[in-house]
Amino acid sequence: MASRPLSRYKPLRLPRIVLPEPVMTVGIGVLCSSKPRPHPIRPDSLILMADTMGSTEYDSTSELHKICIEKDENLFLACAGDMAICNDVGSLIKENFSKLPQRTHGPIWEAINSAVQDVLVARFHWDVLRPKYVFSPGTIFDSQRENVTAEWQAYHPELQMLIGTFHQSGMALLYLVNRFEGSHAWVHLCQYPGHMAIGSGGYNADFWLKFRNQQLGLNLRQSAYHTSEAKAMAAKTPTVNANIDMVLAFSDRHYVLSDEKPEAEGCPFSLTELVAMYPQYGPQSTYELGHQPLPKPSVSRKLKPGQ
């Protein structure tokens, strides 16, 4: 029996799979000082705050907690964007921190950069290189090398992280993991003015921190209040909710606050206190400055037909 020609077989049509867009919310990091000048170690504390919203094109949750605490390594993380890649980077940072020869900016900087680059290379290998350019392990056509280089330079996954830790002297350090237009760097030191915001609500939060002149020399309560205000501003973004996860960290201790646990023993403030400050210190209504509504006509008596 003669076999049917291959041209008569229709190609198999697979359904198009569209991956959901990455989760975008808000994370805020602030450096602050527990003691006034001339205390030699400033800043000596840091605050991280995030919402709990997780939303994609297809689903959402109000229980996505994006702050991670690694007590043994004195490492505090706030994440936004692709949570899976943030988790990969955070795990490698923790591993690298456990091997640090000393707790100074240089080794810390290198540990964070190394973790970020290792994850990016691995992700690029499996997301782009192998499925698109490699037909057998270790083989890339010479004609495709320029294309691979261009793809690598344009590779920009939704990786946004705030990393808080401490110098061996006790000084608080804040780093940002993100890539900006016009720069190839992924890791940035945010020591001055001492605050940074990430996620879809980051612009609103950053605007408010600048308006409040937030900087690393402000005390704990003022810095915490400014951070909570910035979080409230970020909550105006549809992909950010009003829930709060917060950590206040020192080189030798830390406190965790949330909507379920607004107070912590020893913490110099509570979420309840911060919210109670809004009427006194928060933005005020300007309604009385605007056009006032015209007085409504009196309707004290009914009109008769024809009047």
Side-chain angles (χ1 to χ4, degrees):
M1 179 183 296
S3 61
R4 298 177 62 185
L6 292 177
S7 61
R8 297 185 60 182
Y9 290 96
K10 294 183 178 181
L12 179 63
R13 295 186 178 274
L14 298 176
R16 180 172 177 264
I17 300 175
V18 180
L19 296 177
E21 291 295 319
V23 175
M24 293 295 289
T25 51
V26 71
I28 304 170
V30 168
L31 298 175
C32 43
S33 300
S34 64
K35 300 176 182 178
R37 290 190 296 265
H39 191 261
I41 301 175
R42 293 164 60 86
D44 64 352
S45 49
L46 63 90
I47 295 170
L48 291 181
M49 183 180 287
D51 73 330
T52 62
M53 183 72 173
S55 59
T56 68
E57 184 179 352
Y58 303 106
D59 53 61
S60 64
T61 177
S62 61
E63 296 296 332
L64 182 62
H65 300 277
K66 299 176 286 294
I67 288 182
C68 175
I69 299 171
E70 296 293 347
K71 181 179 178 181
D72 293 341
E73 309 305 335
N74 226 0
L75 175 63
F76 306 89
L77 310 172
C79 306
D82 188 330
M83 292 296 114
I85 193 170
C86 288
N87 180 71
D88 291 345
V89 172
S91 297
L92 270 185
I93 292 175
K94 177 187 177 183
E95 181 179 332
N96 292 346
F97 270 35
S98 67
K99 305 172 185 176
L100 286 176
Q102 55 184 355
R103 288 274 181 158
T104 57
H105 167 64
I108 291 172
W109 174 270
E110 185 174 352
I112 298 172
N113 270 287
S114 177
V116 171
Q117 292 301 321
D118 286 350
V119 171
L120 290 176
V121 168
R123 286 292 187 113
F124 181 79
H125 178 81
W126 294 110
D127 293 350
V128 179
L129 201 60
R130 286 296 295 269
K132 192 171 182 179
Y133 295 103
V134 178
F135 68 92
S136 64
T139 303
I140 299 177
F141 290 122
D142 289 339
S143 60
Q144 296 292 344
R145 293 189 181 276
E146 289 188 7
N147 294 335
V148 171
T149 301
E151 292 237 29
W152 168 247
Q153 292 176 343
Y155 188 61
H156 189 181
E158 290 291 344
L159 171 60
Q160 299 184 47
M161 301 177 71
L162 294 173
I163 301 169
T165 190
F166 291 87
H167 190 278
Q168 61 192 26
S169 66
M171 179 183 294
L173 301 172
L174 180 65
Y175 297 87
L176 166 71
V177 177
N178 196 6
R179 190 170 175 183
F180 297 105
E181 185 176 354
S183 172
H184 296 294
W186 275 92
V187 181
H188 314 269
L189 178 64
C190 304
Q191 208 63 14
Y192 186 82
H195 62 77
M196 183 54 64
I198 58 175
S200 57
Y203 179 84
N204 286 3
D206 184 64
F207 165 82
W208 193 255
L209 290 172
K210 290 176 179 175
F211 173 77
R212 286 300 195 189
N213 294 318
Q214 175 63 36
Q215 45 90 3
L216 56 86
L218 299 188
N219 68 21
L220 304 181
R221 287 173 61 83
Q222 189 177 11
S223 298
Y225 177 71
H226 290 174
T227 306
S228 65
E229 277 189 328
K231 165 62 180 61
M233 290 290 290
K236 304 298 183 182
T237 306
T239 51
V240 177
N241 68 11
N243 297 348
I244 293 177
D245 283 341
M246 183 177 190
V247 59
L248 167 66
F250 299 86
S251 61
D252 59 350
R253 65 193 185 280
H254 68 272
Y255 306 95
V256 178
L257 304 177
S258 65
D259 291 323
E260 293 79 15
K261 186 184 176 183
E263 301 179 3
E265 184 177 356
C267 187
F269 54 81
S270 69
L271 292 184
T272 306
E273 290 175 321
L274 297 180
V275 172
M277 295 180 189
Y278 287 171
Q280 181 177 358
Y281 298 106
Q284 303 297 312
S285 171
T286 61
Y287 175 79
E288 294 181 359
L289 300 179
H291 293 294
Q292 300 302 306
L294 297 174
K296 295 181 179 180
S298 174
V299 288
S300 58
R301 64 185 184 89
K302 294 182 179 180
L303 296 178
K304 296 179 180 180
Q307 288 184 332

